[in-house]
């Protein structure tokens, strides 16, 4: 007799940070196959004694999310509307559960948004593929709508109270000079 929480053949599980499909359950070990097609034997006592995430124990639906940062000064509402529209239009996103867009933070270089949505996860790669598709669609939508995805920026402040020395050198002669000094 098996425990109600015990993985079944075909379940998608995460054991010790490894996502895999359960392929065989033996008396002493469970065989799983990773997305990289590696077979791993997991001693059954590891399943009993460690944290195991079973992505599909009672349902194949999972909630996932994608984050994106936009340039400061971008109006927030159009970003939220574009993110929601992109997610709703994806064929693998579950329509019964409306996506949720969160304005997550004022980041170092961007306004950070996260869109949460539900999908059916039947294979190890399903979540990664859908999230990749959503990112591509976000990039396309933002380009069409003139929304700029932010990139890291830094302000440089120069102290001009003292003279600023600027030198232009040839990379080869500079390294030869360094070698000559070292000798």
């Amino acid at each position: 007799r098996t425990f109600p929480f015990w993985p079944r053949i075909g379940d998608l599980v995460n054991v010790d940070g490894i996502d895999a499909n359960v392929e065989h359950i033996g008396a002493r070990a469970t065989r799983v196959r990773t997305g990289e097609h590696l077979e791993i034997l997991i001693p059954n006592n590891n399943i009993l004694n460690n944290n195991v995430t079973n992505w599909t124990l009672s349902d194949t639906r999972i909630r996932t999310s994608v984050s994106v940062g936009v340039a400061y000064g971008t109006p927030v509402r159009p970003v939220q509307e574009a993110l929601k529209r992109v997610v709703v239009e994806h064929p693998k996103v579950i329509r019964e559960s409306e996506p949720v867009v969160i304005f997550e933070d004022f980041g170092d270089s961007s306004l950070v948004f996260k869109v949460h949505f539900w999908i059916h996860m039947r294979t190890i790669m399903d979540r990664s593929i859908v999230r990749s598709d959503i990112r591509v669609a976000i990039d396309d939508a933002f380009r069409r709508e003139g929304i700029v995805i932010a990139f890291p920026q830094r302000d440089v402040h120069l102290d001009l109270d003292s003279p600023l020395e600027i030198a232009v050198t040839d990379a080869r002669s500079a390294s030869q000079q360094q070698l000559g000094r070292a000798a």
Side-chain angles (χ1 to χ4, degrees), residues 167-179:
V168 179
T169 61
D170 177 11
R172 284 176 287 178
S173 65
S175 52
Q176 287 172 352
Q177 287 174 0
Q178 288 178 347
L179 286 174

Side-chain angles (χ1 to χ4, degrees), residues 5-181:
F5 59 83
W6 198 265
R8 299 171 307 242
I9 293 174
D11 280 355
L12 303 174
V13 296
N14 180 291
V15 181
D16 293 330
I18 299 170
D19 288 325
N21 283 40
V22 176
E23 289 195 335
H24 175 77
I25 300 170
R28 295 180 183 257
T30 298
R31 186 181 74 226
V32 298
R33 187 177 300 272
T34 69
E36 291 79 25
H37 208 66
L38 300 172
E39 290 180 298
I40 299 174
L41 290 176
I42 301 169
N44 288 340
N45 67 340
N46 283 12
I47 294 172
L48 285 172
N49 296 326
N50 295 321
N51 289 332
V52 175
T53 301
N54 189 331
W55 295 102
T56 56
L57 178 65
S58 62
D59 195 348
T60 61
R61 291 178 305 150
I62 65 156
R63 187 178 77 176
T64 189
S65 62
V66 170
S67 294
V68 64
V70 299
Y72 270 95
T74 303
V76 171
R77 299 257 184 252
V79 172
Q80 291 174 313
E81 291 164 6
L83 290 172
K84 190 174 274 194
R85 188 173 48 257
V86 162
V87 168
V88 167
E89 290 173 357
H90 194 283
K92 292 192 177 182
V93 170
I94 297 172
R95 303 274 185 266
E96 293 80 40
S97 302
E98 189 169 332
V100 175
V101 179
I102 304 293
F103 180 3
E104 198 163 64
D105 204 357
F106 293 97
D108 288 341
S109 303
S110 66
L111 303 175
V112 182
F113 292 83
K114 185 179 268 189
V115 58
H116 298 267
F117 52 94
W118 291 83
I119 63 169
H120 284 286
M121 189 163 140
R122 293 184 176 92
T123 69
I124 295 297
M125 291 300 291
D126 282 347
R127 182 177 55 167
S128 295
I129 290 169
V130 171
R131 288 167 48 161
S132 175
D133 289 348
I134 295 289
R135 287 183 184 105
V136 169
I138 289 170
D139 185 59
D140 290 344
F142 281 11
R143 285 176 194 273
R144 277 192 311 274
E145 297 179 30
I147 297 171
V148 177
I149 294 177
F151 56 90
Q153 299 178 36
R154 298 288 176 253
D155 289 337
V156 177
H157 299 273
L158 300 174
D159 178 10
L160 297 178
D161 290 338
S162 57
L164 182 63
E165 255 184 69
I166 299 176
V168 179
T169 61
D170 177 11
R172 284 176 287 178
S173 65
S175 52
Q176 287 172 352
Q177 287 174 0
Q178 288 178 347
L179 286 174
R181 281 187 223 141

